[in-house]
Amino acid sequence: MIKHIRLFLFGALSCFCFVLNAQSNFGVNVYSFSQAEGYRALPYADIKDVTGNPIAQSDSLGLAQWNRTNEKLKVVVSALGYASDTLDVFRDEYAKVILYPEVLESTVIQSRRNSRQLGVTLNTTLLNQGDLKKAACCNLSESFETNNSVDVGYTDAITGSKKLHMLGLDGKYAEIRFEGLSSIRGLNLLGGMIDVPGPFLHSIALSKGSGSIVTGREAIAGQIIYNWKPPDCDERLHVNVYLGAYGRLEGNILSTEKISRRWSTLTSVHGMLNNREMDMNGDGFLDLPKNPFHINIMHRWKYFHKQKWRSQFGFDYSQTQLEGGLSSAYRQDSVYNADYIYNQDSRRIAAFWKMGRLWDNWSIGFQNRFYFHNREAFFGDNNQALYSTREYSGQETFGESKLILEHFWNSTVNGEDLHSHTIKFGGGLLVDSLQENVLGANPLQQERCEFNPYGFAEYTYEFNTAFAWIAGMRIEHHNLYGLYLLPRMNIRWTTLNKLIVKLSAGRSARSPFILTESFGRFASGRQFLIDSEFMDNVYDERAWTYGINLFKNFEIGNTSWELIMDVYRTDFQRHTVFNIEDPLKIKIQTLQGPAFSNSFQIDLVTNWLDNLKSSISIKGDQTFTTYDGETLRDPFIPKWVLLQNIAYNLPSEKLRADFTLTLRGPSRIPSTNNRRPEQSPAYATINAQVTYAPNAGHELYIGSENLNVFRQSNPIIRPDDIVQSDVNSPATLFDASMIWGPIFGPRVYLGYRYTLFRHDS
C-alpha cells in the first residue's frame, strides 16, 4: 500500500507543469442582465459572423468557443428575448458581452430555454439555476424533483440515506462527478448527495447512457456532473436561509472575491441542524434521524491568464452526525422493552487541483483529486438482546491524477470551416484504499487496495451542425480485476426536417463496494451471506449500454412544442446481486444468469405563453436480475412513472410558481412471509413552490412536498412485536429496509435568498 501511494504521488508531482481543460483560440463569455436576477451567465446564445453564418453557441456557463486562423473577428451575439450586440473578438483574448432583454410595448420578452443540449453529441439535459430553484433544492438529492430521468428515494426507514435510480438501475451505476472530477463514489455513495449544498450549485449536466470515455469508466446508467459556482462568477455574496417543518434549519453563505485580474477566490459554508423528533406514522421509530451537526466548507482559487494558462485548486470538508431509531418516548417503555438506536458520524476531507495550457491547435490538461473519508455507525440496542446489533466502521483513501492532451483542426471547403476534428488522448492513475468492518453476531469485512493505471483516446468529427461522431477507447490494467477494454461511441445527426437523432453504445465497469451498498440493510435482522469472490476482491461489475434519443420541436399556432423520446438497454456481463428474496437473509452473490434493464421515456414540453410552461413525462422501466436461478423484476423499482410540471412567472419575474405532480406505478416487494403484499400500490405525490422577488438580489420562497399526504403504512416490519419469549425471533424478523414510498407526510418549508451581484462582471 505505501509503495503504491508513493508511486502515485511521484507520478502526480512529476506532471506539475501539465494542464486541464481543452480551450479554443476564440471565445465569448455571454451574460444577461435583468432587474429580477441581476447578472447571469446566458446559455444557448448564438454567435454568428456579420454575414449571418453560425459560428458557435454558448454552453451552460455562458461560454462560446471556436477555432479560426484569423487574428480578429467581428461577431454578432444574439439570444431569443434579448437585444443583439456586435463586437470584435481577438485571437486568444476572450471577450465579455452583456445582453439586455428586449422591451416591446412595455412587456419584457422572456427567453424560451430548452434544457436539452441540442448541439451536444451526448444525450444531455442541463439543469441551470432556474431549474434548481423550482424546488427547495437544499442538496443534490433534491435537485431532480422536477425531472423524470432520475428518481430519488430512501434506502430504509431508519438511517435517512437517499438513493437514486436512473434507467431503471440503482444510482451507484450513474457516474456522479464534481466538475469532471471523482466525487460521489466509494464510501461517499451513502451520503454524498446530501453533502452537496443546492444553493452553491451553478448547474447540473445529466447525460444518459455511456458518456465520454475521457471523463471516466463507471457510467453504466449515465453521468451526472454538477458544477459549483465559480470563483469569478457574478455573485459577490449569496446567502440562503431555509426553515423546514419538523425543525430542519439550514444556512448557506457563499462569498467570492476578485483578488486581481487573474486571481479570484471562493469560500462557501453550509450548515444544517435538526434536533426535533419526527414520528408521523406513530410506530415509535423516528421517520428521519435527528441531525445535531452537519457542516460543509469549501475554499477554492482560480487563476486565469489570457486563455493561455488556467488553474484551479481548493479543498472541501464535510462532517455529519445522525441520531435515529426509537423515539425517546418509546425507549425503555414497557411495551417495547428495548432501546434500539442508530448513530452515525461521517467525516470527509477532499482536495483538487487542475491546470491547463493552450496553444493554437493544441491543449494539455492535468487533473488531480484526493480525499480521505471516515465513517462510524451503530445499529441496535445496547443490551444486544432483542435486535441484531451491528457496529460499522469504514475508511477510504482515494487519489487520482489524469493527463489529457487535445489536438483540434478544421477542414475548409470554399473558404468555410465545414469539417472539424478533435482527438483527445492521455492517461492517468487511480489509487483507492478501502477498509470496512461490521462487528456483531454476523461479522463482515472488506479490505482492498486498488492500483489502476489507464490510457484513453477519443476522436470527434463534426460536419457543420448536421452530423457529429465521437469514438473512444479506454485501456486499463487493474491490479485486482485485470485488463479492461472499454470502447464507446456516440453519434448525433440532424435530418433535413430538423429531427435530431442521437445514438450511443459503450462498455463500462465499476468496483463494487458491497458493505457501503448494503448500509440500509444493516437496519434489519437479516443474516448476511457473501460469495467468496467479493471477499477475495476478484469480482467487479461490467455492462454494455445502448441507447437512442429523438428530439423534435415544432409550433402549432403561437405555441411551441418539444417532443423527446429516449430508449435504452443495459446488459450486464458481471453484476453484484443483492438477493433479499429470503426474508431472513441477504445474499450478496455473483451473477449466475441474465441481468438487464430496458428503459423508455417520452417528454412533451409546451410553451403556452412566454411565461407559462408545462411538461409531461412518462417513463417505463423493466429491470430484471437472476435470483437463485429465477429471473425476477428488481424490487422497489416502479414499473412506470408519470410526471407533470407546470411553471408560471409574471413577465417581470417578480413572482414565480411551480407545481409538480408525480404518479408512480406499482413495484415488486420481495417475500416477507405474508407480512407484506407482493406488490406496492400506485401512488401520487404533489410538490409546489411560490417564489417572490421584490427586487434584484432578494427572493422569498415557500413550498411543500407531498401535499397530498401519502405515506407508506407500517414501513418497519415487526416494530410492535419486539417482546417475545423467543429472543432470536424478533431480532431475525425485524426489517426497516422494505421501503417503496414516502414514510412522512407533507413537509412545508420557507426560505430567503439574498444575492449581492458584482456589477463589473
Side-chain angles (χ1 to χ4, degrees):
M1 172 62 191
I2 299 298
K3 179 181 178 181
H4 289 161
I5 292 178
R6 286 177 177 174
L7 287 173
F8 173 72
L9 293 176
F10 176 78
L13 292 175
S14 65
C15 297
F16 179 86
C17 61
F18 293 121
V19 176
L20 175 110
N21 292 326
Q23 304 293 329
S24 302
N25 53 10
F26 278 90
V28 175
N29 291 288
V30 186
Y31 293 86
S32 65
F33 177 80
S34 66
Q35 293 295 329
E37 294 189 345
Y39 293 91
R40 298 283 183 184
L42 182 61
Y44 309 111
D46 293 317
I47 315 298
K48 300 180 181 180
D49 61 24
V50 291
T51 63
N53 294 320
I55 297 177
Q57 189 180 67
S58 62
D59 62 14
S60 61
L61 301 179
L63 176 62
Q65 303 178 91
W66 67 93
N67 303 306
R68 288 291 191 277
T69 57
N70 313 54
E71 293 296 326
K72 174 185 173 182
L73 283 175
K74 183 180 289 293
V75 300
V76 179
V77 183
S78 62
L80 183 61
Y82 294 88
S84 301
D85 198 359
T86 303
L87 67 154
D88 292 327
V89 183
F90 295 88
R91 184 184 183 87
D92 297 334
E93 293 284 346
Y94 277 33
K96 290 186 179 181
V97 61
I98 300 173
L99 300 186
Y100 295 88
E102 291 180 331
V103 179
L104 181 61
E105 296 179 356
S106 301
T107 301
V108 177
I109 309 286
Q110 301 297 331
S111 172
R112 294 176 178 175
R113 185 191 61 81
N114 179 0
S115 62
R116 292 284 176 144
Q117 298 272 58
L118 304 183
V120 178
T121 306
L122 305 180
N123 180 15
T124 302
T125 301
L126 177 74
L127 304 178
N128 68 1
Q129 292 187 49
D131 298 305
L132 298 176
K133 288 181 179 180
K134 288 183 178 181
C137 190
C138 293
N139 55 64
L140 184 61
S141 67
E142 298 172 340
S143 303
F144 306 104
E145 294 180 354
T146 60
N147 187 287
N148 202 20
S149 297
V150 177
D151 279 330
V152 180
Y154 289 93
T155 63
D156 60 275
I158 295 291
T159 68
S161 302
K162 289 189 175 183
K163 63 178 179 179
L164 59 84
H165 285 97
M166 187 172 175
L167 300 186
L169 301 174
D170 191 280
K172 63 189 179 183
Y173 297 111
E175 190 170 44
I176 305 178
R177 288 181 165 259
F178 158 64
E179 299 180 6
L181 304 173
S182 295
S183 176
I184 299 179
R185 65 178 305 281
L187 293 189
N188 210 29
L189 283 171
L190 178 60
M193 292 188 294
I194 299 177
D195 287 336
V196 181
F200 302 153
L201 290 175
H202 182 278
S203 62
I204 302 174
L206 174 64
S207 300
K208 292 183 177 181
S210 56
S212 170
I213 199 65
V214 177
T215 304
R217 69 182 183 117
E218 300 177 348
I220 294 177
Q223 292 178 337
I224 299 175
I225 299 179
Y226 63 92
N227 300 297
W228 217 268
K229 294 178 180 179
D232 56 353
C233 71
D234 57 323
E235 297 182 7
R236 186 170 185 177
L237 177 67
H238 180 81
V239 179
N240 178 280
V241 180
Y242 169 97
L243 177 61
Y246 317 114
R248 179 177 171 181
L249 176 65
E250 296 194 17
N252 306 275
I253 299 177
L254 179 143
S255 174
T256 67
E257 190 65 40
K258 289 190 175 181
I259 306 300
S260 66
R261 183 180 178 184
R262 299 176 182 176
W263 286 95
S264 56
T265 184
L266 175 147
T267 302
S268 61
V269 180
H270 162 80
M272 180 169 63
L273 176 67
N274 187 0
N275 272 324
R276 186 174 177 181
E277 296 187 348
M278 181 175 67
D279 181 17
M280 298 295 293
N281 53 25
D283 63 2
F285 286 80
L286 301 184
D287 297 336
L288 291 173
K290 296 189 297 182
N291 199 168
F293 185 82
H294 176 90
I295 192 170
N296 179 283
I297 301 172
M298 172 176 279
H299 183 70
R300 60 189 297 187
W301 288 76
K302 181 176 180 178
Y303 175 80
F304 178 91
H305 178 49
K306 294 183 179 179
Q307 290 298 127
K308 294 287 188 180
W309 284 99
R310 265 190 177 186
S311 179
Q312 291 195 56
F313 57 89
F315 76 92
D316 61 276
Y317 173 79
S318 60
Q319 181 178 351
T320 302
Q321 294 177 359
L322 299 173
E323 298 175 0
L326 280 169
S327 68
S328 58
Y330 285 84
R331 291 181 182 177
Q332 303 299 337
D333 186 271
S334 58
V335 176
Y336 285 85
N337 192 26
D339 189 15
Y340 186 90
I341 60 175
Y342 160 69
N343 291 322
Q344 184 196 151
D345 189 353
S346 175
R347 303 166 188 258
R348 185 174 186 267
I349 185 168
F352 75 95
W353 170 45
K354 50 186 183 179
M355 296 183 64
R357 178 65 166 91
L358 171 73
W359 292 271
D360 290 343
N361 294 313
W362 283 89
S363 70
I364 188 168
F366 188 45
Q367 300 178 347
N368 300 273
R369 180 68 162 171
F370 313 94
Y371 66 76
F372 174 77
H373 197 163
N374 181 78
R375 173 178 283 114
E376 307 286 339
F378 179 83
F379 300 79
D381 86 75
N382 291 319
N383 298 322
Q384 301 188 19
L386 298 177
Y387 289 87
S388 289
T389 299
R390 294 185 171 99
E391 188 171 354
Y392 169 89
S393 65
Q395 297 84 35
E396 182 182 16
T397 303
F398 173 89
E400 182 178 14
S401 287
K402 178 164 57 178
L403 179 68
I404 307 172
L405 293 93
E406 179 173 351
H407 179 51
F408 39 87
W409 68 98
N410 297 323
S411 300
T412 303
V413 178
N414 296 327
E416 295 185 9
D417 293 332
L418 295 180
H419 307 268
S420 68
H421 312 263
T422 303
I423 183 168
K424 298 179 183 179
F425 57 95
L429 175 65
L430 183 151
V431 176
D432 192 4
S433 175
L434 174 71
Q435 293 181 330
E436 290 185 283
N437 294 278
V438 179
L439 302 179
N442 183 199
L444 307 168
Q445 184 179 29
Q446 184 179 31
E447 293 186 9
R448 70 165 178 253
C449 179
E450 297 183 61
F451 188 80
N452 185 22
Y454 58 86
F456 55 83
E458 183 179 83
Y459 170 73
T460 301
Y461 167 75
E462 293 184 83
F463 174 72
N464 205 349
T465 59
F467 179 80
W469 172 52
I470 302 176
M473 173 68 77
R474 184 181 177 108
I475 302 176
E476 304 184 359
H477 191 277
H478 200 285
N479 65 317
L480 300 176
Y481 308 125
L483 182 67
Y484 286 107
L485 294 177
L486 304 175
R488 291 184 187 173
M489 181 176 293
N490 292 271
I491 297 174
R492 173 178 55 83
W493 175 45
T494 303
T495 66
L496 294 178
N497 61 355
K498 302 302 181 182
L499 173 68
I500 299 177
V501 182
K502 297 183 179 181
L503 305 172
S504 68
R507 188 171 185 243
S508 304
R510 68 179 296 271
S511 302
F513 296 81
I514 55 174
L515 297 186
T516 292
E517 295 162 17
S518 304
F519 197 83
R521 307 288 178 196
F522 294 155
S524 72
R526 294 175 180 267
Q527 180 185 8
F528 280 70
L529 302 175
I530 304 176
D531 283 1
S532 60
E533 288 90 340
F534 294 104
M535 308 310 294
D536 296 335
N537 295 309
V538 296
Y539 193 84
D540 60 345
E541 297 192 90
R542 307 179 189 185
W544 284 90
T545 304
Y546 318 90
I548 180 172
N549 164 254
L550 304 176
F551 177 92
K552 176 66 177 177
N553 58 4
F554 54 93
E555 291 190 1
I556 301 178
N558 293 325
T559 303
S560 65
W561 302 72
E562 300 165 7
L563 179 64
I564 308 107
M565 183 176 71
D566 297 329
V567 179
Y568 282 86
R569 163 84 176 194
T570 302
D571 282 308
F572 281 94
Q573 298 173 296
R574 297 161 70 104
H575 185 39
T576 304
V577 179
F578 291 85
N579 187 342
I580 55 174
E581 301 306 310
D582 185 335
L584 305 181
K585 301 174 182 177
I586 174 171
K587 293 181 283 187
I588 304 178
Q589 304 169 316
T590 60
L591 180 64
Q592 303 296 325
F596 60 89
S597 174
N598 298 320
S599 179
F600 79 89
Q601 181 173 331
I602 300 176
D603 295 347
L604 183 63
V605 182
T606 310
N607 294 284
W608 298 102
L609 302 169
D610 291 324
N611 53 345
L612 177 62
K613 179 178 180 178
S614 70
S615 62
I616 185 168
S617 172
I618 185 168
K619 176 178 63 176
D621 293 321
Q622 293 183 328
T623 307
F624 290 86
T625 302
T626 302
Y627 300 96
D628 295 329
E630 185 177 4
T631 302
L632 302 173
R633 185 183 290 269
D634 281 4
F636 308 123
I637 299 178
K639 294 181 180 179
W640 52 265
V641 179
L642 187 147
L643 186 144
Q644 169 79 63
N645 177 258
I646 300 175
Y648 172 80
N649 59 272
L650 292 177
S652 63
E653 291 204 2
K654 288 189 174 182
L655 185 68
R656 305 191 301 271
D658 290 279
F659 173 88
T660 303
L661 168 67
T662 306
L663 299 174
R664 290 182 172 85
S667 59
R668 187 178 72 86
I669 300 176
S671 173
T672 57
N673 284 347
N674 299 318
R675 293 190 297 275
R676 292 291 184 272
E678 296 181 354
Q679 181 173 275
S680 69
Y683 67 93
T685 57
I686 297 175
N687 298 343
Q689 180 179 279
V690 177
T691 302
Y692 174 61
N695 49 54
H698 298 270
E699 291 182 326
L700 295 169
Y701 58 95
I702 183 171
S704 179
E705 301 172 352
N706 197 9
L707 270 171
N708 55 316
V709 199
F710 177 84
R711 288 196 297 262
Q712 177 182 342
S713 59
N714 302 318
I716 301 178
I717 295 179
R718 298 189 66 85
D720 55 346
D721 264 343
I722 296 174
V723 180
Q724 292 185 359
S725 57
D726 183 359
V727 174
N728 293 322
S729 177
T732 303
L733 298 177
F734 171 73
D735 196 344
S737 63
M738 308 295 281
I739 302 300
W740 49 262
I743 58 178
F744 45 80
R747 295 198 295 178
V748 180
Y749 61 86
L750 58 91
Y752 168 72
R753 303 184 188 100
Y754 169 71
T755 305
L756 176 64
F757 294 102
R758 179 178 288 108
H759 294 288
D760 60 349
S761 296

